[in-house]
Amino acid sequence: MANAAKPTIRPLSPHLQVYRLPLAAVLSITHRITGVGLTLGMLVLIWWLTSAAYGPDAYDQAMTYIASPLGLVVLLGFSLALFFHLSNGIRHLLWDAGRNFEIGATKRGNVFVIISTLVLTAAAWLLALV
Amino acid sequence: MFASGNLRSPLGRARGLGSAKEGLHHWWAQRLTSLALIPLTLWFVAGVIHLALGGEPYESFMAWIANPCTATLMILFLGVSFHHAQLGVQVVLEDYVSCHAWRTGLTIVTKFTCYGFATLGIVSTLICCFGG
């Protein structure tokens, strides 16, 4: 019992509410959130296609909503989510192939995914507006 | 507790809630659909963004979708992405919904809804191609 008074420093369990998530973990949960969001966003695509099948009047009405400020914000969010899920999804496929598991490669991958998301989204909107 | 050569507990055996042997198929289907969606998504965005944001009239959309290659790629995109979506949402439900009844119910609703909307999108594409 000689060591009884000596304080022992033990690692604390990283509980979600008191633990600052590393960037890789933030991107991981973002992959899921964007996946669910894109599933809901696909309903806008279905609405658009269906309106075209119903005829010019329905199509024009749908386009009025899509081209409205709120519609454009939704489309911007959809495109950001889409390109993030695409970029991070490619990273997941590389992980599935057993590559890029090292800490350095994972950190570079984080940066690559974020830059790729922003560049692809910007490129898509420039393509539309040019 | 465990009989020799059998890692399942007696309770697990009695309930029959072992592996359904379908996990590999789910995993593989999610990877294959994601692989297919890389080119399909890039095609989709490149094709659609002008029509959605460029203020193009109804006739431009109909001329675009009536092209056989466009219609084929659109139908593939709809089928593959909704298949991928219901596989993904199923995993999210399995991870976060602990109540068995809710989890099963929501999974069924997800699958029915995804395949329903995929079919609606495909039928609409075909109507645009062949005329209503």
Side-chain angles (χ1 to χ4, degrees):
Chain A
M1 294 300 283
N3 294 334
K6 192 177 168 187
T8 314
I9 300 166
R10 294 197 175 93
L12 294 170
S13 172
H15 190 275
L16 274 178
Q17 288 171 325
V18 296
Y19 180 64
R20 195 166 69 92
L21 288 177
L23 187 55
V26 172
L27 297 184
S28 173
I29 192 62
T30 308
H31 193 72
R32 290 202 153 184
I33 294 168
T34 52
V36 174
L38 289 168
T39 305
L40 298 173
M42 283 294 285
L43 302 184
V44 177
L45 169 64
I46 298 302
W47 174 48
W48 186 57
L49 287 174
T50 309
S51 75
Y54 270 96
D57 294 341
Y59 183 81
D60 287 344
Q61 196 186 17
M63 282 306 291
T64 311
Y65 286 108
I66 289 169
S68 72
L70 181 64
L72 291 178
V73 169
V74 170
L75 281 189
L76 179 62
F78 185 84
S79 56
L80 273 171
L82 185 68
F83 286 125
F84 174 83
H85 203 84
L86 178 70
S87 307
N88 204 46
I90 291 170
R91 184 155 79 134
H92 267 284
L93 287 175
L94 290 171
W95 277 333
D96 291 335
R99 291 171 183 275
N100 297 338
F101 277 118
E102 298 77 15
I103 289 178
T106 303
K107 285 186 172 171
R108 281 195 298 279
N110 292 340
V111 176
F112 171 79
V113 164
I114 292 167
I115 291 175
S116 161
T117 303
L118 297 175
V119 167
L120 285 171
T121 307
W125 283 74
L126 280 175
L127 190 73
L129 301 173
V130 173
Chain B
M1 185 164 176
F2 298 107
S4 65
N6 187 349
L7 290 173
R8 287 179 66 188
S9 70
L11 180 63
R13 268 206 308 283
R15 281 182 166 166
L17 295 175
S19 160
K21 305 286 192 289
E22 289 177 353
L24 179 64
H25 176 253
H26 183 287
W27 189 91
W28 185 234
Q30 201 161 22
R31 268 70 193 169
L32 272 192
T33 49
S34 63
L35 196 61
L37 280 170
I38 297 172
L40 284 172
T41 303
L42 292 173
W43 165 82
F44 171 76
V45 173
V48 146
I49 200 140
H50 253 291
L51 297 161
L53 298 174
E56 306 240 8
Y58 173 73
E59 288 71 27
S60 309
F61 172 83
M62 293 303 270
W64 175 72
I65 199 79
N67 180 290
C69 289
T70 308
T72 302
L73 288 168
M74 179 59 85
I75 289 167
L76 278 175
F77 178 72
L78 290 167
V80 177
S81 56
F82 271 108
H83 188 39
H84 184 80
Q86 60 88 16
L87 290 168
V89 175
Q90 182 191 341
V91 173
V92 172
L93 292 171
E94 284 167 354
D95 282 355
Y96 302 129
V97 183
S98 53
C99 170
H100 189 263
W102 270 105
R103 193 198 314 143
T104 308
L106 287 171
T107 304
I108 292 169
V109 168
T110 300
K111 285 174 188 280
F112 284 7
T113 310
C114 280
Y115 286 117
F117 278 113
T119 309
L120 180 60
I122 290 167
V123 168
S124 297
T125 304
L126 293 173
I127 287 174
C128 290
C129 293
F130 300 117

